[in-house]
Amino acid sequence: MIERPEMKIAAIVHRAARRNADQLLAESAMALRRHGYRVRGLLQTDIAPSGGMGKRMLLTDVSNGRAFPISQDLGVGSAACCVDPGGIADASVVLRDALHDKADVIVVNRFGSLEASGQGLSTEMLALMSAGIPLVTVVEERFVDAWRLFTGSASIELAPRAGLLRA
């Protein structure tokens, strides 16, 4: 019989209008680091449009602060998704390295439309979960069904409130 590692997966579930989930994930990751946990992974920062450029997004490696641009400049008036799959691919190395580092916990900026369709960071997330490394991410309500399918409903779903993640 093959033993499966215990799944330790959590998602901060939020509504589209609530942007505090990104901040909560970042604050929780930093709090865990202050308590001596080896936290690895990626956090997202959104930069408001300015100077004729549309919204910009960065993924930041929590272990060293390296930033990966993950948005394409589609212009201020664009309503299309500006995520750059190439930027996501560049940032994915952080999660692959975290798998080999045997971190205590991995944070992943989000499970979104790319991951729901089997792209983005989904391969790396599956590898981390399969290895039994605790993983925490952010999931918008509209992707919860896809998230449950992705994790086999093995995830704990958390409301975006401070203090829940450490527990």
Side-chain angles (χ1 to χ4, degrees), residues 42-43 45 47 57-62 64-70 87 90-91 94:
L42 296 164
L43 297 171
T45 304
I47 302 167
M57 299 176 294
L58 299 172
L59 289 183
T60 303
D61 182 335
V62 298
N64 63 22
R66 180 177 176 199
F68 298 87
I70 60 161
D90 290 344
V94 173

Side-chain angles (χ1 to χ4, degrees), residues 145-162:
D145 289 339
W147 171 250
R148 290 175 181 157
L149 182 63
F150 183 75
T151 64
S153 295
S155 171
I156 297 168
E157 294 174 13
L158 305 170
R161 281 184 252 140

